[in-house]
Amino acid sequence: MAQKAKTLRDLARMKRALAPGHRACAGCPFPVIVKLVMSATDYPLVVANATGCMEVTTTIFPYTAWPVNWIHNAFENAAATISGVEAAYKALKRKGKIPADKEIKFVAFGGDGGTYDIGLQALSGALERGHNFLYILYNNEGYMNTGIQRSSATPKYASTTTSPAGKVIPGKLQWRKEITDIIIAHNPAYAAQASPAFWSDLIRKVQKALEADGPSFINVISPCQPGWNYPPDLSIELTKLAVETKYWPLYEYKNGGWKVNYKPRKPIPIIEFLKPQRRYKHILNRPELIEEIQQEIERRWERLLKLEEAFPLKE
Amino acid sequence: MAKRKTTRMALTGNEAMAFAMKQINPDVVAAYPITPATQIVELFSKYVADGEVDTEFVPVESEHSAMSACVGASAAGARVMTGTASQGLALMHEILYIASALRLPITMCVVNRTLSAPINIHCDHSDTMGSRDAGWIQIYTENVQEAYASTIVGVKTAEKANLPVMVTTDGFVLSHSMESLDVFDDQDVREFLGQRKPLYNVLDVDNPITVGPLDLQDYFFEHKRGQIEAIFEAKKHIYDAHREFAEFFGIELPVFMEPYRLDDAEYAIVVLGSSAGTGKEVIDNLRDEKGMKVGLLRLRIFRPFPYEELQQVLGKVKYLAVMDRADSLNTMGGPVATEIARALYHLSERPIIHSFVYGLGGRDVPPENFYEVIEKMQWIAAGNTPDRMVTYVGVRE
């Protein structure tokens, strides 16, 4: 059922993408993510979108960039909304109002605000109820649509407009919470972390998620050019550096097991990921803080490797 | 009028509403329990468990998600129902506006219960009055029989008007009181309602649509204006749905209102919901024993507000007492009084209106409340002017 994309040329030919003309910022990677997700499959899709950058930039009336059925309800309820759509699909199919052989897949997109924070309850409920849907978190590590405020996805020491770097306080003081761990605690049919720089890995994960029987979740890193404050041509480069520094491990979870999909042979020090981002400008001359971040990355990486070792993923 | 077969049953308000839902057999029910509406959700889940319906039941984790899932399911073309009360309705508040603005027919059984604080599980209308401007049709019922029938006609109305509908009962007073009522056959209910035929739906994958886009200064007003016009047009759909109900079942329901001994009344009371029953008895006593020209108007549908109908029946009344089971906290009393005053203001002949707030937090509503209201209106008729626009009835001041 899935389209085959082995090379970048194949990828460029894939038709199911956002239409040009949407208002996402220059360099914003979420249109790339949406294209990869939609191109990973030939199934008809129904998309629910949480309020946020993706929703506001792709559907300014009278235009829409979406080539598939799309619904936006509110900020915190993309998972509940897609639950309702999926429940309707099941009911109408059972009652013979939709042909039995008509297979439709359901995808929700939310940013980290709509997922980690205000929409966490609705997502938790939908996962627990076991709806058949894929939730894609495009994670730009802050409330970027409202102008770069901290979220619980914002990493430690990042400066945002509500965790500003000041004379006394060096940006956000808390570590981000591990949303993928929280999702895995629901024992979903499939969960993963992905990065658009590793596009074939992302496509493969979307395909696995859509074939899984039950709820699935993919946390995709999605740098925000104005929010992270870097030259716009570096977006995909940053999503590569995030993986190479072990800041953003690529891994997946299924059947109670973990698999780390990519283990950098020569991991790059985190400073290389932080340096281009002006949200970290204030700590670049504070090696003790950089070291603290490096230590935390190592701790989380080691934990992940131990999980993989103790509970290897079995297909 | 072909009278359909009915069966006599003894049911509480919640049982009757759940029974109507079973007969309707909606495609999707997404609901969360809350006192005093819990039984509706419980009973309906049992119908699902016993295979008496083939509804997809979504036992959500909150009312916010209940309404959100209803929006998704209704946008997918399904016939959708839910039930709630009080805090649950308040938690849905944000999504109520989205349901109506997206023109999604959803039928919701609301068991009226006051809003916190103080926390209290008993009846008043502050919950549904709090969502009066959310673009929903609101039907307030007087008894269990009417709650049952209104649930069925509510679905018909919602789908004709492409608007969501709340059908309410007074918490505990109706929800937990057993009454004997006539119910229809399942088959007749299903035949009456037929299939929902949505204009668009997000499961029509061959004709993709974008639902709920960003709508800015250049288009929002026109779209909101369209929704407002739909509320104007809803009146016609409400009349049509009730007429079709009467033709099909041979039972006539009051539509927007039920006037009671109002024809030559000098004094009149307006009231919603179950208290009307008590009020009617007081009207009977005052008319039959004291010869007073008093009448009552039970307002059944509060949204859309039937101002023309009210002008016709209340214009000739001299002294009008409007009893609200909710206070607007605006120093003028309840919302029904405010809106009736607005509706009658332009008439050349119009009554003197006074607002009464009664029965908050489930305070019992004895006949004395109604006598007190009439006495106050007589006092006003004698040339007295109240200090305030509102009087509180049945409370220790």
Side-chain angles (χ1 to χ4, degrees), chain B residues 6 35 40 141 228 281 323 326 330 365:
Chain B
T6 57
T35 306
I40 298 176
T141 65
I228 294 164
E281 192 173 299
M323 293 178 65
N330 64 356
V365 187

Side-chain angles (χ1 to χ4, degrees), chain A residues 48-65:
Chain A
N49 209 161
T51 307
C53 291
M54 184 183 285
E55 167 261 332
V56 299
T57 57
T58 58
T59 67
I60 305 178
F61 190 89
Y63 305 105
T64 180

Side-chain angles (χ1 to χ4, degrees), chain A residues 193-195 198-206 250 252 261:
Chain A
Q193 271 192 191
S195 160
F198 295 76
W199 57 271
S200 59
D201 175 75
L202 173 51
I203 286 180
R204 186 184 59 80
K205 285 173 174 168
V206 171
L250 302 182
E252 54 192 335
N261 305 107

